[in-house]
Amino acid sequence: MTVDRSSRAEEGIVVGTTTFTARALQRLAVGIAHDVARVSVRDVGVQLSDEHGALRIAVTVPVAIATKSGRPLVDSGEDLRNGLIDGMRELAGREVGTVDVRYSGVRRSTERRVR
């Protein structure tokens, strides 16, 4: 059986697959956690596992205490959880079933003005 590829070319459809390795998914999760938690990449620990077809993410970050911010840790954890769920869905097309957040240590961050 032959396939008429000319109609696909006209529609702009490209045939193929996109594959994310486990390491790529791990690095992506570390980057997302780094951005959301506002801590150094080296302070972020991420473990990925399978939970009935969805990702289970265990993330460990230090508590980032800003001098002017008085946000509760529960809100920061919720932001991190939602950031990982949304980021992995948007950037890698992966469903995240569970995100476990563990805080380890404290990092003081000072907000700096850019000149």
Side-chain angles (χ1 to χ4, degrees):
M1 175 180 212
T2 61
V3 177
D4 181 18
R5 297 187 192 276
S6 62
S7 63
R8 285 189 177 176
E10 291 171 4
E11 295 174 6
I13 297 173
V14 178
V15 180
T17 61
T18 303
T19 304
F20 292 93
T21 63
R23 182 169 171 86
L25 290 174
Q26 169 121 12
R27 301 282 293 197
L28 180 61
V30 167
I32 293 168
H34 154 72
D35 288 343
V36 174
R38 295 182 181 139
V39 295
S40 173
V41 171
R42 67 175 179 257
D43 290 334
V44 177
V46 172
Q47 291 182 333
L48 303 177
S49 58
D50 179 46
E51 184 177 84
H52 307 292
L55 283 176
R56 180 182 185 106
I57 302 174
V59 61
T60 304
V61 294
V63 176
I65 298 177
T67 55
K68 295 180 183 178
S69 173
R71 295 191 66 219
L73 287 178
V74 174
D75 292 345
S76 297
E78 191 66 27
D79 290 346
L80 181 55
R81 187 175 295 109
N82 289 333
L84 283 165
I85 291 169
D86 295 340
M88 294 299 279
R89 182 184 327 110
E90 291 172 10
L91 298 173
R94 301 296 175 145
E95 179 186 344
V96 177
T98 304
V99 178
D100 299 320
V101 177
R102 173 175 285 180
Y103 289 109
S104 65
V106 175
R107 296 287 186 268
R108 291 216 180 265
S109 64
T110 57
E111 296 180 12
R112 299 178 189 154
R113 291 179 53 178
V114 178
R115 294 181 180 189

